[in-house]
Amino acid sequence: MMRFLLLFSRQGKLRLQKWFTPIPEREKKKIIRDMTTMVLARQPRSCNFLHWKDLKIIYKRYASLYFCLAIENQENELLALEVIHRYVELLDKYFGNVCELDIIFNFEKAYFILDEFLLGGEIQETSKQIVNRCIESSDMLQEYYCEGETDFPGTWRKYHGGVYEQTCILTCGLKGIEITAGEEYRSRMYCI
Amino acid sequence: MSDVVEKTLTALPSLLSLDSQPGSAKLSSTSKLGNLIRGITELTSKHEEEKLIQRELSAIKEQVSSPNTTMRQMKELMVRTIYCEMLGYEASFSYIHAIKLAQQGTVLEKRVGYLAVSLFLNENHELLLLLVNTVLKDLQSTNLIEVCMALTVVSQMFPKDMIPAILPLVEEKLNHPKEIIRRKAVLALYKFYLIAPNQVQHIHNKFRKALCDKDPGVMTASLHIYLQMIQENPEGYKDLTASFVAILKQVVGGKLPMDFNYHSVPAPWLQIQLLRILSFLGKNDQSTSEIMHEVLDESLRRAEMNHNITYAILYECVKCIYTIHPKSELLEKAAKCIGNFVLSPKINLKYLGLKALTYVVQQDPKLALQHQMTIIECLDHPDLIIKRETLELLFRITNAQNVTVIVEKMLEFLRISKDDHTTIDLVGKVAELAEKYAPDNEWFIETMNTVFSVGGDMMQPDIPNSFLKLLSEGFDSVEEDRKLRLFAVNSYISLLQGEPGKLPQRFLQVISWVLGEYSHLREDLEAAVVQRLLARLLDMKNCSSETKSWVLTAMTKLCEGASGVSVAQQVSETYSSSLDTVLRQRAQELQHLSQDSELRAKALPRGVGLEPVEVDSSLSFLDGFVSEALAAGAAPYKPPHQRQEELAGTKALSLEPYGLSLPISMSSCITDRQSPTLLSMSSGLSGDSTDLSHKGGSAALKLDGVKRVWGREGYLSHKEPVEEPAQVEVPSPVRSPSRQGEADSSHSRTPTLTPTPESDQEKQQLASSLFVGLGSQSSVCLMGKSEQTTQRFRRKAKGHSAASSTSEQMSNSAVSPPSTVDSLLCNNLLDSNITSELAVSSPKRTSQLSQGLAATNGTCDADTELLESDRKESKPAVITDSYVVAADPAPHADPDRPKDLDLSSHLPAELSGLSHSEITHLCTNQNLELSACHVQKEDSLLLIVFISNSSDSAVQQILVQVDSDELEVSCVGDSPVEVRSHSVAVCQYSLSVKRPAVHIELAGMVSYQLPAGSPQSAPFSYKLPLTSFIRPLTVSTEEYGTMWLAFSHDTRQNLTLISDDQEPLTATLNVLKRRLQLHVVEIIGMEGIVACRLLQDQPCLMHCRVHAGTLAVWLRSPVPDLPDCLIYHCQRALQGH
């Protein structure tokens, strides 16, 4: 079982925290401090595993961001490394060339993605396609709701390539609006 | 149109991530969160940040409490609050609003509300109770998104006490048409299982249904639960082995939809989960292991891509292969695999290779030899983590010959390590090795000195304790004892003359104790000199008051001669006015005893060591004083626990007044008087005067239960080196040629070496010193390193003479299957049998597999039948496409029931009237099947073993051996020698408990011979709860009173009361009486006394008192562990009610 996941920057600034078991606030702060100091102090070309109390810490750096996952002792380290990697892949798919800023400004999205991927400290959905579909369609719904917005954010353009067609049917169908083509959808967006 | 509906349904999961933040990516430019974040990045100091956030938080606070704030705005505010909390600023005012948002918002707002709740609160937070209603409502919602959100939050956190409220709704979701809902429901149940296993006990059959779900995702989710349950009780799920194997086979074979691939490896998470389950199932179980051999082989073969994820699978595979019953062919492949890890240039893989080696080296020491050069390289690796892991490996291969080198390496690491946890762990290991394998006194004392100074005050307290115990107990030879102690004294004197200020407190305590006890051994040393050295310690600033009291006690022992006394006087004067009561006490003792040498000789006799001193712990000599005081109107004595209960209510405090750290003696003065409240009421003040066995009473070092590892053997190796080789040369003729080769020269041993540069030669030297004794020593010694065997081994050896230890080693070697030739041969024989058997049954199996069903063991016919009927009745667990199928071989009890009926008719006539446990299957070996049950008689417990022969020929020379560490087993009546074809024979054994345990496990071995064939054997095990050995004990209240005082082992705990319509105490005791066969002696008001006995005649008494809504239970018995085990069963009985 996983115990917690922390994302922090090279400067040790926390970007995301997820605790899978109940831990008192004070302890959390101590853990965050310990993790950042331990992980940031690692030399390059060292292995990605650490020991901390009775837990194993698996960390990996992606650009300026460190992902740090604590697992119980009997778990598989390499697999945990792949959990991190899959999460990054999911973020990347969503934000497109994800960078630290994306996660800073949209941290709640990062949480939503995480909640679809992991649940209660265990892997919930390993299929990238399914998690992805969730994320993509949520984007659609979000656009649908942004009344009065005249400028489309980057994500919209990114998914203009065809995927959204199905998803917009989906979300609109749910709301009782039948739209079948992307163009139409877009025009309605303007009218709302 | 239907097409649209179809699409809508398939993509419903997506709606889960409905988003809430309008124009999220635009946030950066316009939103308030964006402003906040940018504001923070522009700041230069922490102080400014603090100010900004506080301002932000107070603005948020104002807005959230305003009645005009819409839910939409609330959602935005919540996001900002989450951000502030992440920065480490508390915003507890917003928690209640987060709950409100989850309650009242629309779907999108709700989502943020739930997210905020899950980030802000944990499952112990009281506000969470307010969420229960919202969750209930959402679970019943027709909107799938709401249901999903509710299930998500439930699996993340939910108050334990409220589980019953939502459990039925979650259970219902297991039948939901959407797989995503089913999957989340299963995960929610998994969460419940983890935090409150007894709450979900009744729905185990639903777990099975989830395992057979047609959606692989739901099935995968259910494996989390199964892994957990199987880990706790592998015996209960053996029947599922074939199903798990079938699933794994299909996954490995690529039968899953592409969705489940990860970098083109099929469902790696699922594979690893299954491998872990299989290793639990196959552990120590040959027949189960055989079912999985084939699929493990295939997994190894398929995982060939060079990617982390395949290595993850391989690693798990290797672990599984080494955990289950061994098969030489697989072991070979696994060993090769480990080689690939160890030799990999990738550091992560190297690390795992070392871990794998550590895991297998006990079974296969050759592997460590093979990779010795890599191990040496890792030992010098710049990465401390790798180094640490290497030491772990070396720890496993330590023996008397390489101990000095390995310990040296460990100490080297300790000096540079900064991590407390590592230090504690490693210090413990060094101490263990030192005690076990010390080559001589000097080395031992010096190593322990380093341990104490490096380990400091963090190390486990049992290290100094067992060290002192070792010194004081001594060994066989008086002369050796003296030398060891003298050496310790010398070394400590020189340490104290140096810079004692740098030594940790624990070490100072050890030093002062040793000097107090043994400094007289050094004749040229005056006691006064030691006194002065010790007195210097007292003046040190960092000397804790605990250490000071150790020092004062040591000084008390040393007051000899005029100068010594004057030092003592001086010191005692200083401390007799100390604010610390313990110190003052010690100072008083010092003062009095230093003046009165006669009294001192009596109070602190020299050289008595560990002889227990008779102490009247009940202080009966004070009875007169007490009765006078009572007559004068003093309040009667109340035991500490009662006082505390009255004072603090539920607050749990440590009831042990003084821990192990008390130096020695005098504890009798401050002992607590233990007596149950009932007795202090009924028998008055003199009642507990006879409480002689009170555990705090002994004046000796209280070291009971502290493990002692450096026994006589450790010492023997030093004293009688001649015996060593004799022990070493324990059998294994097959390996001996290679071993001799290894022993001949250390260079020829390692063909991989290229002996050229200097550093290489150094490494080789290191290698030969590290791995010495590995090849030449029998693997028995290595096996002996595993914790359990060592313990057992030592304990036995303590009682016996030294000569018996060799024979024990022999028997030990016979037990460890892979290490001896005989068992290897036997394995091969068995293996070949199995393969031939498999060959016969394979066509049948393939046909079954093609149907998507699985049944691999011998009883496949019956299984198929059951499955077919299953398919007709319930919803079939078969999927037409290429989906995975979890073929459930029928609900758990079903296959057993007809057999049960069948076998119970074979119960001996005189037993048929008595109640017997369910007949459980023990093992199947070809045509022979063993089952067993136990029958409770009034004065004994009988184990009945049924041997059924389903072959066409008679089975001969049957011998069933049953053995257990905890039990006395004796055979009743004649045991059958032959079982005719298609018939059943019965063996009876009478069992009585030697050592109580919560569950008692029997291990057995059946050996037999088929008319045409070689002898066969098969192991089995049987588990029965302690409660089967419990019988009521009928005593009167007076008898109970006297017995209570005589018993020394006790335990206390609070249990839950059962509140029926009747009085709770009576109701609870009745449940216990019914479930556990206890005898209720008497109930007076809020207290009750209960008695029972463990077969044959080991009494256990129980005193219950209703207090603050719980039942305070106190158990006492003359048998150690019995109270603890019984309290466990009481707990279970009450929980299950």
Side-chain angles (χ1 to χ4, degrees):
Chain A
M1 194 177 147
M2 291 167 248
R3 293 291 191 81
F4 57 81
L5 173 71
L6 301 178
L7 267 65
F8 48 82
S9 69
R10 235 171 359 159
Q11 291 76 35
K13 283 243 184 273
L14 189 65
R15 297 302 181 206
L16 188 135
Q17 52 174 340
K18 187 84 193 176
W19 308 88
F20 298 112
T21 47
I23 295 172
E25 285 305 318
R26 248 165 98 218
E27 179 79 350
K28 280 185 190 172
K29 284 195 176 144
K30 188 182 174 311
I31 293 176
I32 294 168
R33 216 174 34 241
D34 280 7
M35 288 306 121
T36 44
T37 40
M38 264 169 73
V39 170
L40 293 176
R42 295 284 288 167
Q43 298 297 318
R45 298 165 61 76
S46 307
C47 66
N48 295 74
F49 315 128
L50 286 170
H51 298 263
W52 185 79
K53 301 214 167 149
D54 57 339
L55 297 181
K56 289 193 287 205
I57 310 298
I58 316 300
Y59 72 91
K60 191 154 186 197
R61 181 180 156 181
Y62 289 86
S64 57
L65 203 57
Y66 282 91
F67 290 69
C68 170
L69 179 65
I71 53 174
E72 281 168 5
N73 221 346
Q74 71 278 7
E75 300 279 329
N76 189 317
E77 287 95 339
L78 282 180
L79 196 67
L81 215 46
E82 295 312 298
V83 168
I84 293 179
H85 189 71
R86 170 58 38 122
Y87 183 46
V88 175
E89 281 178 346
L90 290 170
L91 290 172
D92 197 58
K93 190 91 179 173
Y94 177 76
F95 291 107
N97 287 327
V98 68
C99 66
E100 197 185 332
L101 279 181
D102 289 323
I103 295 173
I104 297 175
F105 282 103
N106 302 287
F107 65 89
E108 82 280 9
K109 298 276 170 38
Y111 277 120
F112 291 150
I113 297 175
L114 187 64
D115 280 349
E116 279 313 302
F117 176 46
L118 306 176
L119 189 53
E122 300 286 357
I123 287 278
Q124 182 193 188
E125 179 56 72
T126 55
S127 156
K128 200 162 148 190
Q129 280 73 12
I130 292 179
V131 177
N132 238 336
R133 229 179 281 152
C134 298
I135 314 303
E136 282 165 8
S137 62
S138 77
D139 250 22
M140 290 304 147
L141 196 68
Q142 161 204 316
E143 302 313 336
Y144 166 73
Y145 270 94
C146 55
E147 307 138 60
E149 295 274 357
T150 46
D151 185 17
F152 283 108
T155 40
W156 167 260
R157 284 190 296 279
K158 241 175 267 161
Y159 294 102
H160 192 53
V163 203
Y164 75 99
E165 199 170 306
Q166 183 199 348
T167 46
C168 83
I169 295 167
L170 240 177
T171 48
C172 299
L174 200 83
K175 290 284 158 194
I177 309 165
E178 273 197 55
I179 307 164
T180 42
E183 274 310 311
E184 201 177 344
Y185 180 69
R186 183 184 274 242
S187 60
R188 289 240 180 167
M189 291 278 310
Y190 282 110
C191 337
I192 291 171
Chain B
M1 186 59 212
S2 67
D3 191 26
V4 173
V5 173
E6 176 66 39
K7 278 182 179 170
T8 311
L9 283 177
T10 50
L12 263 175
S14 57
L15 293 174
L16 277 176
S17 352
L18 281 183
D19 217 319
S20 48
Q21 201 63 56
S24 69
K26 276 189 58 117
L27 267 180
S28 47
S29 57
T30 57
S31 79
K32 287 177 181 162
L33 176 68
N35 285 336
L36 172 64
I37 295 172
R38 227 175 337 263
I40 292 168
T41 47
E42 280 159 13
L43 297 177
T44 45
S45 73
K46 182 81 187 162
H47 180 66
E48 282 178 61
E49 183 191 295
E50 220 160 277
K51 271 204 316 213
L52 180 75
I53 302 280
Q54 289 309 347
R55 222 170 33 234
E56 182 78 19
L57 281 177
S58 51
I60 294 174
K61 190 172 186 176
E62 203 176 297
Q63 273 182 287
V64 287
S65 34
S66 148
N68 299 328
T69 312
T70 62
M71 281 297 145
R72 225 179 115 73
Q73 289 165 318
M74 189 71 98
K75 182 185 63 185
E76 194 275 322
L77 290 167
M78 242 357 117
V79 173
R80 269 194 285 159
T81 321
I82 296 176
Y83 190 80
C84 293
E85 279 245 329
M86 183 160 67
L87 290 177
Y89 298 89
E90 203 210 302
S92 51
F93 65 86
S94 64
Y95 297 171
I96 185 76
H97 297 284
I99 292 178
K100 228 159 79 186
L101 187 62
Q103 210 161 28
Q104 298 167 357
T106 62
V107 176
L108 296 170
E109 292 145 9
K110 221 180 220 324
R111 190 172 157 83
V112 174
Y114 272 130
L115 175 68
V117 168
S118 73
L119 290 171
F120 291 158
L121 310 179
N122 66 36
E123 63 200 29
N124 305 323
H125 202 285
E126 49 192 0
L127 277 181
L128 211 52
L129 286 176
L130 297 176
L131 194 72
V132 173
N133 234 340
T134 315
V135 169
L136 267 177
K137 206 180 76 201
D138 285 339
L139 278 177
Q140 285 161 307
S141 164
T142 47
N143 187 338
L144 289 186
I145 304 162
E146 286 181 346
V147 179
C148 279
M149 285 195 294
L151 284 172
T152 306
V153 83
V154 160
S155 346
Q156 283 173 341
M157 37 148 24
F158 200 73
K160 202 170 162 182
D161 312 332
M162 296 310 288
I163 290 176
I166 59 159
L167 188 59
L169 284 173
V170 177
E171 261 178 74
E172 198 180 280
K173 296 287 175 274
L174 289 175
N175 299 322
H176 201 277
K178 291 309 299 173
E179 62 270 2
I180 185 158
I181 305 272
R182 294 204 299 275
R183 193 179 67 207
K184 284 189 192 265
V186 170
L187 283 170
L189 289 177
Y190 168 64
K191 177 79 180 177
F192 295 165
Y193 182 80
L194 287 182
I195 57 176
N198 46 340
Q199 308 249 27
V200 290
Q201 233 148 30
H202 61 287
I203 46 176
H204 279 196
N205 57 334
K206 297 218 169 140
F207 295 157
R208 285 204 179 220
K209 221 177 136 228
L211 181 64
C212 305
D213 199 284
K214 61 177 186 280
D215 179 66
V218 182
M219 185 268 293
T220 311
S222 76
L223 290 183
H224 295 307
I225 304 180
Y226 274 98
L227 180 66
Q228 200 65 31
M229 293 194 299
I230 289 171
Q231 196 173 358
E232 283 157 20
N233 171 27
E235 293 307 318
Y237 302 90
K238 297 274 181 186
D239 58 322
L240 285 176
T241 313
S243 308
F244 292 129
V245 167
I247 298 172
L248 184 56
K249 208 171 268 175
Q250 294 179 62
V251 175
V252 173
K255 298 270 165 53
L256 279 189
M258 290 291 280
D259 266 359
F260 289 86
N261 283 9
Y262 177 83
H263 293 264
S264 56
V265 175
W269 279 274
L270 175 56
Q271 283 197 44
I272 284 174
Q273 195 84 346
L274 284 167
L275 285 169
R276 288 178 61 191
I277 289 179
L278 289 183
S279 62
F280 285 124
L281 285 171
K283 195 173 183 181
N284 301 329
D285 183 339
Q286 187 177 354
S287 55
T288 311
S289 299
E290 277 157 9
I291 306 174
M292 46 188 94
H293 282 155
E294 191 190 325
V295 77
L296 288 177
D297 192 39
E298 197 176 335
S299 295
L300 274 185
R301 210 151 26 85
R302 293 260 188 169
E304 54 199 3
M305 213 175 52
N306 188 12
H307 188 281
N308 261 349
I309 198 77
T310 47
Y311 285 112
I313 296 174
L314 280 178
Y315 177 69
E316 214 61 42
C317 239
V318 167
K319 262 176 84 174
C320 180
I321 288 171
Y322 272 94
T323 311
I324 63 170
H325 189 89
K327 184 185 178 191
S328 53
E329 194 186 314
L330 275 180
L331 288 180
E332 227 167 78
K333 285 183 187 168
K336 213 175 121 202
C337 212
I338 294 180
N340 288 342
F341 275 99
V342 175
L343 298 174
S344 164
K346 285 186 189 162
I347 184 149
N348 284 344
L349 296 186
K350 212 181 245 327
Y351 170 88
L352 281 187
L354 286 172
K355 279 196 71 159
L357 268 184
T358 313
Y359 189 75
V360 306
V361 80
Q362 285 166 18
Q363 289 179 47
D364 201 350
K366 268 191 310 183
L367 264 183
L369 273 180
Q370 251 173 44
H371 298 296
Q372 47 177 318
M373 281 331 272
T374 322
I375 296 174
I376 300 278
E377 269 163 31
C378 291
L379 204 52
D380 287 330
H381 202 280
D383 189 350
L384 285 188
I385 301 295
I386 299 279
K387 227 170 165 163
R388 171 82 184 78
E389 214 50 49
T390 317
L391 290 177
E392 192 70 40
L393 170 61
L394 290 180
F395 171 71
R396 304 282 169 124
I397 57 166
T398 312
N399 56 38
Q401 291 161 61
N402 59 14
V403 66
T404 45
V405 194
I406 289 178
V407 165
E408 184 46 45
K409 287 279 166 199
M410 286 178 156
L411 293 177
E412 213 171 84
F413 183 87
L414 273 175
R415 288 188 195 104
I416 52 171
S417 161
K418 287 183 203 82
D419 176 41
D420 291 355
H421 204 260
T422 313
T423 309
I424 294 170
D425 181 56
L426 213 52
V427 155
K429 288 190 164 131
V430 172
E432 189 187 329
L433 291 180
E435 292 190 359
K436 238 191 246 176
Y437 301 113
D440 56 56
N441 289 336
E442 205 168 314
W443 184 88
F444 177 64
I445 296 293
E446 267 165 15
T447 306
M448 289 310 283
N449 283 355
T450 327
V451 164
F452 289 134
S453 33
V454 176
D457 297 316
M458 290 179 298
M459 69 177 146
Q460 302 289 343
D462 64 336
I463 297 175
N465 282 334
S466 61
F467 173 72
L468 292 185
K469 190 176 180 201
L470 204 75
L471 277 183
S472 57
E473 274 185 349
F475 316 100
D476 294 337
S477 144
V478 180
E479 182 53 25
E480 281 298 330
D481 288 350
R482 206 188 64 83
K483 273 190 196 157
L484 180 65
R485 288 168 188 162
L486 188 59
F487 191 85
V489 168
N490 284 338
S491 134
Y492 294 158
I493 291 285
S494 57
L495 274 174
L496 287 191
Q497 281 164 345
E499 274 187 88
K502 284 183 181 161
L503 302 176
Q505 303 297 314
R506 284 262 176 72
F507 194 16
L508 290 177
Q509 292 163 11
V510 168
I511 290 178
S512 37
W513 189 86
V514 171
L515 290 182
E517 286 289 316
Y518 299 118
S519 63
H520 63 88
L521 291 174
R522 195 168 136 182
E523 277 145 15
D524 60 332
L525 189 69
E526 262 184 66
V529 177
V530 185
Q531 288 278 49
R532 265 181 227 113
L533 282 174
L534 288 173
R536 248 177 71 194
L537 293 181
L538 292 173
D539 300 333
M540 278 173 1
K541 255 186 271 157
N542 55 357
C543 188
S544 73
S545 61
E546 194 192 345
T547 311
K548 280 180 184 163
S549 74
W550 282 75
V551 172
L552 286 175
T553 315
M555 290 179 77
T556 316
K557 296 175 196 161
L558 289 170
C559 315
E560 263 169 22
S563 57
V565 171
S566 76
V567 175
Q569 287 298 339
Q570 221 175 326
V571 167
S572 62
E573 253 165 55
T574 323
Y575 286 94
S576 53
S577 57
S578 165
L579 284 178
D580 189 317
T581 43
V582 179
L583 273 187
R584 211 157 61 214
Q585 166 85 16
R586 297 275 169 270
Q588 292 290 346
E589 287 164 22
L590 177 60
Q591 188 163 24
H592 284 106
L593 293 177
S594 65
Q595 282 163 349
D596 189 342
S597 62
E598 243 173 76
L599 181 61
R600 183 160 53 83
K602 251 195 227 164
L604 299 165
R606 175 170 289 171
V608 183
L610 281 187
E611 298 303 319
V613 180
E614 284 273 317
V615 172
D616 183 0
S617 69
S618 63
L619 312 180
S620 59
F621 55 88
L622 286 175
D623 278 358
F625 175 77
V626 172
S627 57
E628 259 172 47
L630 280 176
Y637 174 76
K638 280 179 184 165
H641 72 101
Q642 194 188 346
R643 267 178 278 160
Q644 258 155 19
E645 272 172 15
E646 282 166 13
L647 275 174
T650 52
K651 203 148 210 173
L653 284 171
S654 159
L655 296 173
E656 293 295 321
Y658 295 93
L660 279 173
S661 51
L662 262 187
I664 80 168
S665 79
M666 299 306 167
S667 51
S668 56
C669 312
I670 44 174
T671 180
D672 66 325
R673 307 212 292 178
Q674 301 193 339
S675 90
T677 49
L678 178 86
L679 290 162
S680 54
M681 281 185 339
S682 62
S683 57
L685 61 127
S686 61
D688 42 4
S689 295
T690 42
D691 188 3
L692 277 171
S693 50
H694 173 228
K695 56 179 172 181
S698 146
L701 260 186
K702 290 192 280 179
L703 292 166
D704 313 48
V706 175
K707 63 175 177 182
R708 181 189 168 206
V709 247
W710 197 37
R712 293 182 177 106
E713 299 81 26
Y715 216 72
L716 269 181
S717 67
H718 160 65
K719 228 169 32 182
E720 299 164 59
V722 206
E723 246 186 52
E724 187 86 358
Q727 286 186 0
V728 165
E729 288 303 315
V730 184
S732 188
V734 164
R735 281 193 202 156
S736 60
S738 65
R739 277 196 201 143
Q740 271 165 10
E742 281 156 9
D744 283 342
S745 86
S746 58
H747 290 277
S748 64
R749 216 194 301 166
T750 53
T752 48
L753 303 186
T754 41
T756 33
E758 235 171 73
S759 67
D760 267 16
Q761 266 184 352
E762 263 172 41
K763 280 181 183 173
Q764 275 173 34
Q765 261 173 5
L766 184 59
S768 56
S769 51
L770 274 178
F771 296 92
V772 63
L774 248 199
S776 60
Q777 203 153 14
S778 84
S779 52
V780 177
C781 296
L782 285 166
M783 295 298 290
K785 289 236 47 205
S786 85
E787 206 65 32
Q788 277 183 334
T789 10
T790 315
Q791 285 299 85
R792 203 181 307 141
F793 193 158
R794 303 272 160 174
R795 206 176 299 145
K796 273 185 195 162
K798 230 189 237 174
H800 296 280
S801 67
S804 72
S805 73
T806 28
S807 71
E808 258 163 287
Q809 277 201 344
M810 299 281 276
S811 66
N812 212 351
S813 74
V815 175
S816 57
S819 62
T820 59
V821 187
D822 295 36
S823 45
L824 263 183
L825 278 175
C826 175
N827 280 344
N828 285 337
L829 266 176
L830 286 175
D831 283 345
S832 63
N833 275 338
I834 291 146
T835 35
S836 65
E837 197 183 53
L838 282 182
V840 173
S841 64
S842 65
K844 205 186 285 172
R845 278 204 308 151
T846 38
S847 71
Q848 277 177 347
L849 278 177
S850 65
Q851 288 176 355
L853 296 170
T856 35
N857 54 19
T859 56
C860 47
D861 287 354
D863 274 358
T864 343
E865 259 176 48
L866 276 168
L867 280 169
E868 255 151 22
S869 61
D870 227 28
R871 238 188 298 170
K872 276 171 218 148
E873 284 163 26
S874 63
K875 208 178 158 196
V878 183
I879 304 114
T880 39
D881 296 338
S882 55
Y883 276 68
V884 145
V885 178
D888 184 8
H892 184 49
D894 269 1
D896 289 345
R897 204 163 295 142
K899 259 186 243 162
D900 197 303
L901 274 178
D902 196 33
L903 285 173
S904 56
S905 64
H906 291 278
L907 270 176
E910 72 271 18
L911 299 179
S912 54
L914 297 163
S915 71
H916 65 85
S917 70
E918 196 181 313
I919 297 179
T920 50
H921 174 80
L922 293 179
C923 69
T924 312
N925 204 357
Q926 292 177 343
N927 293 319
L928 205 65
E929 195 177 327
L930 253 67
S931 310
C933 69
H934 52 271
V935 179
Q936 301 202 10
K937 289 172 75 172
E938 197 186 328
D939 269 322
S940 62
L941 189 81
L942 289 180
L943 174 75
I944 314 291
V945 180
F946 302 93
I947 310 166
S948 32
N949 176 7
S950 55
S951 73
D952 293 329
S953 52
V955 177
Q956 286 163 337
Q957 294 182 19
I958 289 187
L959 185 63
V960 183
Q961 287 170 313
V962 187
D963 193 22
S964 166
D965 290 340
E966 290 95 8
L967 291 177
E968 202 92 58
V969 184
S970 58
C971 197
V972 180
D974 302 327
S975 39
V977 182
E978 183 187 300
V979 184
R980 276 174 289 119
S981 69
H982 299 289
S983 71
V984 177
V986 176
C987 306
Q988 289 184 42
Y989 299 90
S990 156
L991 310 177
S992 62
V993 179
K994 274 195 293 194
R995 209 174 62 222
V998 173
H999 290 284
I1000 289 169
E1001 205 155 326
L1002 280 160
M1005 175 74 89
V1006 56
S1007 55
Y1008 60 93
Q1009 190 154 24
L1010 290 168
S1014 51
Q1016 303 275 329
S1017 66
F1020 60 84
S1021 66
Y1022 187 74
K1023 201 161 137 186
L1024 60 175
L1026 186 77
T1027 41
S1028 1
F1029 295 92
I1030 300 290
R1031 300 286 180 275
L1033 175 67
T1034 326
V1035 288
S1036 66
T1037 310
E1038 288 77 46
E1039 283 167 327
Y1040 181 97
T1042 29
M1043 279 160 83
W1044 180 273
L1045 292 173
F1047 298 164
S1048 51
H1049 298 278
D1050 68 344
T1051 188
R1052 267 174 273 181
Q1053 197 158 350
N1054 286 353
L1055 300 179
T1056 44
L1057 272 172
I1058 288 173
S1059 43
D1060 279 349
D1061 344 316
Q1062 46 173 329
E1063 210 267 311
L1065 180 64
T1066 326
T1068 314
L1069 290 186
N1070 279 342
V1071 169
L1072 290 178
K1073 181 181 169 183
R1074 208 172 53 240
R1075 293 277 178 91
L1076 304 174
Q1077 302 209 43
L1078 309 177
H1079 172 70
V1080 180
V1081 182
E1082 199 174 351
I1083 299 177
I1084 312 171
M1086 297 314 260
E1087 294 183 48
I1089 50 177
V1090 179
C1092 66
R1093 67 194 167 99
L1094 179 72
L1095 290 175
Q1096 296 296 327
D1097 286 306
Q1098 312 274 31
C1100 184
L1101 305 178
M1102 189 164 145
H1103 171 257
C1104 312
R1105 208 163 68 87
V1106 178
H1107 180 83
T1110 59
L1111 188 67
V1113 176
W1114 191 354
L1115 284 155
R1116 272 195 175 193
S1117 168
V1119 189
D1121 299 339
L1122 180 55
D1124 287 320
C1125 299
L1126 207 59
I1127 201 102
Y1128 170 84
H1129 285 291
C1130 291
Q1131 233 167 351
R1132 291 296 297 264
L1134 293 179
Q1135 271 173 2
H1137 183 75

